[in-house]
Amino acid sequence: MDAALEKRQVERAYELYAPVYDFIFDWIFAPGRAAAIKQLGLARNDSVLEVGIGTGLNLPLYPPTCRLTGIDLSQEMLDKAVERVQTLTRTNVTLKVMDATALDFADNEFDKALATYTISAVPDPVAVLREMRRVVKPGGVLVILNHFRSEGRIAGRLEDLVAPLCTRLGWKSNLALKPLLARVGLEPEVVARLNMFNGWRLVKCVNRK
Ligand SMILES: C[S@@+](CC[C@H](N)C(=O)[O-])C[C@H]1O[C@@H](n2cnc3c(N)ncnc32)[C@H](O)[C@@H]1O
């Protein structure tokens, strides 16, 4: 049975996680963050969209010369990101509450887009990736960092078994990478395994339109 993740459920979950999110997720996921920003290959003045920016843990990793827009469904998570922008005294960062399945941006508005630990936490990952493709210029770069369903038989079955519980907690444990990319017409240029037990995958795609 596919336990569906709903938008309201995600909002409720991150309202609860916001005060403690950084304590739990900062150190565990740090190696992946640095690698993901590196894969963006940011040049001076590049415009970047970070989808599901959360509390803004990636903010200190962006070069100050890029122009960053961060969106998130959760006001509580974004409030933390606002505090982080102020602490870092960053001036070229715009943060907005927005649903990633209906981005309020024009086609081809950004050079690059990033989603770290987000694509399995959204109710409709296909719609989110399609929107990311739409707002990134042709030839632009999309970087996704996430845990995806394991290709090993036993680990994959285990992830299926715990999926209903994980869905209640706000994310999908068994989102399969290849079918997801195929459905949105993306071909990965880079797939690297990283973080604890190499359990997460860093995926870089060029937006061929
Ligand atoms: C696990 S957190 C990751 C946060 C951040 N990217 C990081 O690396 O720490 C997932 C984030 O995705 C956001 N999110 C979930 N569904 C969303 C949607 N439809 N639109 C925008 N943000 C969404 C959540 O509110 C949450 O902040």
Side-chain angles (χ1 to χ4, degrees):
M1 190 177 67
D2 179 23
L5 193 59
E6 286 170 16
K7 188 171 156 183
R8 187 66 204 111
Q9 202 177 352
V10 171
E11 284 170 334
R12 258 201 312 267
Y14 285 95
E15 192 179 327
L16 292 174
Y17 291 149
V20 294
Y21 184 86
D22 291 0
F23 295 109
I24 305 166
F25 294 105
D26 190 2
W27 64 276
I28 302 178
F29 293 149
R33 294 181 187 289
I37 302 280
K38 200 171 168 197
Q39 279 297 341
L40 283 172
L42 289 168
R44 200 176 174 79
N45 286 327
D46 267 355
S47 58
V48 190
L49 173 66
E50 186 174 330
V51 171
I53 191 167
T55 62
L57 282 170
N58 295 330
L59 279 164
L61 304 171
Y62 287 99
T65 52
C66 74
R67 293 169 290 137
L68 175 68
T69 302
I71 66 107
D72 202 283
L73 196 60
S74 162
Q75 178 71 64
E76 289 75 13
M77 293 289 276
L78 215 53
D79 287 346
K80 298 276 174 193
V82 170
E83 283 171 25
R84 188 167 263 116
V85 168
Q86 286 163 356
T87 308
L88 293 166
T89 62
R90 292 289 300 259
T91 50
N92 46 2
V93 178
T94 307
L95 298 172
K96 289 183 180 166
V97 174
M98 200 182 287
D99 184 346
T101 60
L103 292 174
D104 190 14
F105 301 115
D107 296 355
N108 309 331
E109 193 165 330
F110 296 93
D111 296 306
K112 290 161 184 180
L114 175 70
T116 59
Y117 312 114
T118 292
I119 211 70
S120 62
V122 297
D124 188 348
V126 171
V128 171
L129 284 178
R130 286 194 177 134
E131 277 293 84
M132 287 171 74
R133 287 203 65 189
R134 179 183 69 76
V135 301
V136 169
K137 293 172 184 162
V141 171
L142 279 80
V143 172
I144 306 153
L145 169 61
N146 219 89
H147 172 78
F148 291 98
R149 188 183 187 278
S150 303
E151 275 135 24
R153 226 162 57 96
I154 294 174
R157 284 294 298 141
L158 271 175
E159 286 159 358
D160 292 341
L161 276 176
V162 297
L165 173 67
C166 293
T167 300
R168 293 177 78 91
L169 298 173
W171 76 87
K172 296 183 179 83
S173 57
N174 61 348
L175 180 64
L177 176 61
K178 282 183 190 163
L180 175 67
L181 294 182
R183 282 188 69 188
V184 293
L186 282 171
E187 283 216 16
E189 294 226 328
V190 174
V191 180
R193 292 181 184 268
L194 36 69
N195 285 347
M196 212 185 295
F197 313 118
N198 279 337
W200 281 257
R201 275 176 269 182
L202 177 60
V203 183
K204 175 188 174 181
C205 304
V206 173
N207 200 21
R208 304 198 193 285
K209 297 194 191 181

